[in-house]
């Protein structure tokens, strides 16, 4: 079987890549195909995440063993075949290529083509320019600031007035009923 993946980026609206690869290929083969299609270095830390329909991360497939706890399933790209974890069309994945800022490609297994095979992965569609793989220090700082920009609305009304606090709304919360909050018995 052949898997056809569609890759999109939230950083570059006109960017699209389509990769066709054998279902018997490994996630490492898919990683190499993506890196070739977008001209990324192959030795940078990255991971695939199998996602649900809402893009919530489920299983992680890593480039190297990260020393995860034994109770957590660990999948390595070089040891995991695509067909082991991907069975359904429209399965969603994330390909995180920049761990510092969680930058990723959004992927979908858009088609499973039965009765065909491929020896090597093929980039069958290349539209637009991909985002840069590694941000410069200035771009990294801007990205972090953008992600941390909570704004004054995050903390509440900017026009806060101490007089708005009511001391009469604390009925039932006296020191005796609360006990010592720092008592070790709790």
């Amino acid at each position: 079987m052949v898997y056809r993946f569609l890759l999109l980026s939230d950083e570059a609206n006109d960017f699209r890549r389509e990769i066709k690869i054998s279902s018997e290929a490994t996630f490492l083969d898919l990683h190499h195909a993506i890196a070739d299609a977008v001209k990324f270095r192959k030795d940078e830390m990255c991971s695939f995440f199998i996602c649900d329909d809402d893009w919530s991360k489920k299983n992680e497939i890593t480039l190297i063993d990260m020393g995860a706890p034994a109770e957590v399933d660990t999948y390595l790209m070089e040891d995991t075949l695509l067909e082991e974890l991907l069975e359904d069309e429209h399965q969603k994945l994330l390909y995180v290529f920049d761990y510092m800022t969680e930058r990723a490609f959004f992927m979908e297994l858009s088609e499973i083509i039965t009765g065909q095979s491929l020896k090597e992965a093929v980039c069958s569609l290349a539209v637009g320019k991909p985002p840069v793989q590694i941000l410069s220090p200035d771009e990294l700082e801007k990205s972090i600031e953008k992600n941390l920009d909570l704004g004054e609305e995050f903390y509440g009304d900017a026009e806060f007035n101490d007089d708005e606090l009511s001391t009469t709304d604390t009925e039932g919360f006296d020191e005796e009923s609360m006990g010592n909050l720092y008592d070790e018995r709790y």
Side-chain angles (χ1 to χ4, degrees), residues 103-152:
R103 295 169 57 236
F105 290 130
F106 294 86
M107 298 178 61
E108 181 181 30
L109 175 54
S110 56
E111 184 180 14
I112 298 174
I113 305 166
T114 58
Q116 291 186 12
S117 63
L118 285 174
K119 291 185 182 193
E120 290 185 14
V122 175
C123 179
S124 55
L125 176 70
V127 175
K129 184 177 176 184
V132 296
Q133 182 176 15
I134 305 295
L135 295 176
S136 71
D138 289 340
E139 291 170 321
L140 179 61
E141 187 175 326
K142 287 177 187 174
S143 175
I144 291 171
E145 286 175 5
K146 177 183 165 192
N147 290 335
L148 292 179
D149 184 18
L150 303 175
E152 59 185 45

Side-chain angles (χ1 to χ4, degrees), residues 30-155:
L30 181 57
H31 159 63
H32 286 261
I34 293 169
D36 289 343
V38 295
K39 301 192 180 6
F40 281 1
R41 290 180 40 186
K42 297 176 184 176
D43 60 348
E44 294 293 331
M45 193 60 212
C46 62
S47 285
F48 288 96
F49 288 92
I50 308 295
C51 299
D52 63 17
D53 287 338
D54 297 322
W55 296 100
S56 296
K57 296 175 183 175
K58 300 297 179 190
N59 298 334
E60 181 178 14
I61 304 96
T62 60
L63 185 58
I64 60 171
D65 186 355
M66 306 281 264
E71 63 271 6
V72 175
D73 287 335
T74 302
Y75 299 98
L76 295 176
M77 288 185 199
E78 66 182 329
D79 299 333
T80 309
L81 300 179
L82 297 174
E83 64 187 4
E84 289 177 28
L85 298 178
L86 304 173
E87 301 171 345
D88 301 320
E89 285 185 356
H90 308 293
Q91 174 67 58
K92 291 177 174 37
L93 299 95
L94 284 175
Y95 173 71
V96 177
F97 58 85
D98 184 350
Y99 263 78
M100 291 294 290
T101 57
E102 287 272 323
R103 295 169 57 236
F105 290 130
F106 294 86
M107 298 178 61
E108 181 181 30
L109 175 54
S110 56
E111 184 180 14
I112 298 174
I113 305 166
T114 58
Q116 291 186 12
S117 63
L118 285 174
K119 291 185 182 193
E120 290 185 14
V122 175
C123 179
S124 55
L125 176 70
V127 175
K129 184 177 176 184
V132 296
Q133 182 176 15
I134 305 295
L135 295 176
S136 71
D138 289 340
E139 291 170 321
L140 179 61
E141 187 175 326
K142 287 177 187 174
S143 175
I144 291 171
E145 286 175 5
K146 177 183 165 192
N147 290 335
L148 292 179
D149 184 18
L150 303 175
E152 59 185 45
E153 292 301 313
F154 178 80
Y155 298 103

